[in-house]
Amino acid sequence: MASYQAETLALSLLSEDLTAARLKALQKLAFGNSQNKSLLVSNSALEIVDKYYKKSASEKQHLLRNDYLGIVRALCVNNRPGRERIWSNKSDEFDVVRTVVEIMVSSKQDFADAENAVTTLCAVLMNSDGNCQTAAEILFADGADVVRDMRSLYIDSTTTEGGSEVGEFRKKLDFIDALVLPLFPNKPSVVFKLVTKEEATSFKGGNTIQSGLDLADKFIHLSDRKSAGFVYKR
């Protein structure tokens, strides 16, 4: 009886034009219930939700954005059919990975929203080579490095923002990196040195990269793409 009621409710929520209230109801229906997740995915819930979000969130309203991320995450966590659906049905009109990455980029100045998007992307990529490949192509498109840019915004891993630890946020970014970087044919290979303005001028003049610290311990200290782009701005 309960199964029949859930199916009836799911079909009812998906049969008419979606609204913000229906989006919340779908998220509640899917949360922690594998049977309902499968039911929703098989009835094109991901496609319907993605279409609704793209049509309704021209300004990426905060609440609608979080509701969208919530239903995508609910249909992907511990639910392989949801993740496979995102990959197998990907098209110009339906591309959940791209939508989530776009939300990541647009939210990067708001820690809570950025963390929500990053957490959702982790759920979408988990055990899905197809979604990881799609993410790699998007995250590193045209010389970009979205994950590194996101990481550099939160340099101090001990800081707490919005009630959440930045260190945990950075771990999620590392997790995304571990999944997508091996799949990108032209892996970013940036190695750089953190210097003061005066040191940069000195290096250029002497054509040698060697700081006082390097001279002291006879080791050239360099940073890779996982390091922050700057320690502080002068």
Side-chain angles (χ1 to χ4, degrees):
M1 183 66 177
S3 176
Y4 173 77
Q5 290 176 337
E7 182 174 2
T8 302
L9 177 59
L11 294 176
S12 174
L13 291 171
L14 295 171
S15 63
E16 301 179 22
D17 288 340
L18 201 59
T19 63
R22 287 175 181 267
L23 196 64
K24 288 182 180 296
L26 287 169
Q27 183 178 347
K28 185 176 181 179
L29 188 64
F31 185 76
N33 190 308
S34 58
Q35 186 173 353
N36 289 351
K37 290 182 183 187
S38 298
L39 174 66
L40 289 169
V41 169
S42 65
N43 282 281
S44 304
L46 283 163
E47 290 89 338
I48 293 171
V49 168
D50 193 59
K51 181 179 180 180
Y52 170 72
Y53 175 76
K54 290 175 179 175
K55 178 183 72 174
S56 306
S58 58
E59 297 180 1
K60 303 293 187 292
Q61 296 99 324
H62 173 78
L63 293 177
L64 180 58
R65 180 173 56 212
N66 286 337
D67 287 341
Y68 170 80
L69 293 172
I71 185 63
V72 169
R73 193 162 60 248
L75 293 176
C76 288
V77 171
N78 297 324
N79 188 42
R80 180 178 291 275
R83 299 191 296 272
E84 291 179 345
R85 183 90 173 200
I86 289 173
W87 163 244
S88 62
N89 283 15
K90 183 173 75 73
S91 65
D92 291 340
E93 292 74 33
F94 175 63
D95 192 344
V96 170
V97 176
R98 183 173 296 278
T99 303
V100 174
V101 172
E102 288 175 352
I103 294 174
M104 273 177 57
V105 174
S106 67
S107 304
K108 60 186 180 182
Q109 298 299 336
D110 185 313
F111 179 78
D113 284 357
E115 183 186 40
N116 193 359
V118 167
T119 301
T120 302
L121 186 60
C122 288
V124 172
L125 301 184
M126 177 73 75
N127 296 323
S128 175
D129 290 345
N131 289 337
C132 288
Q133 183 65 58
T134 300
E137 294 167 0
I138 297 169
L139 292 169
F140 301 121
D142 301 321
D145 195 341
V146 174
V147 173
R148 181 184 178 278
D149 291 344
M150 295 289 290
R151 186 185 289 110
S152 68
L153 292 173
Y154 303 100
I155 299 168
D156 184 358
S157 63
T158 65
T159 300
T160 298
E161 297 199 26
S164 298
E165 291 294 334
V166 174
E168 291 301 314
F169 174 73
R170 288 168 62 91
K171 287 179 182 178
K172 292 173 185 176
L173 291 174
D174 289 343
F175 176 74
I176 294 172
D177 244 358
L179 292 176
V180 303
L181 197 57
L183 300 174
F184 191 67
N186 300 312
K187 301 175 186 177
S189 57
V190 175
V191 177
F192 57 93
K193 186 169 185 62
L194 296 173
V195 297
T196 64
K197 184 176 180 180
E198 290 75 15
E199 285 176 328
T201 301
S202 173
F203 293 164
K204 290 179 181 178
N207 201 30
T208 300
I209 297 178
Q210 192 173 49
S211 67
L213 175 62
D214 298 334
L215 288 170
D217 62 11
K218 296 180 172 54
F219 184 83
I220 303 299
H221 298 268
L222 298 174
S223 301
D224 64 14
R225 60 179 297 281
K226 290 189 176 183
S227 302
F230 58 84
V231 177
Y232 67 96
K233 287 183 176 180
R234 299 192 65 181

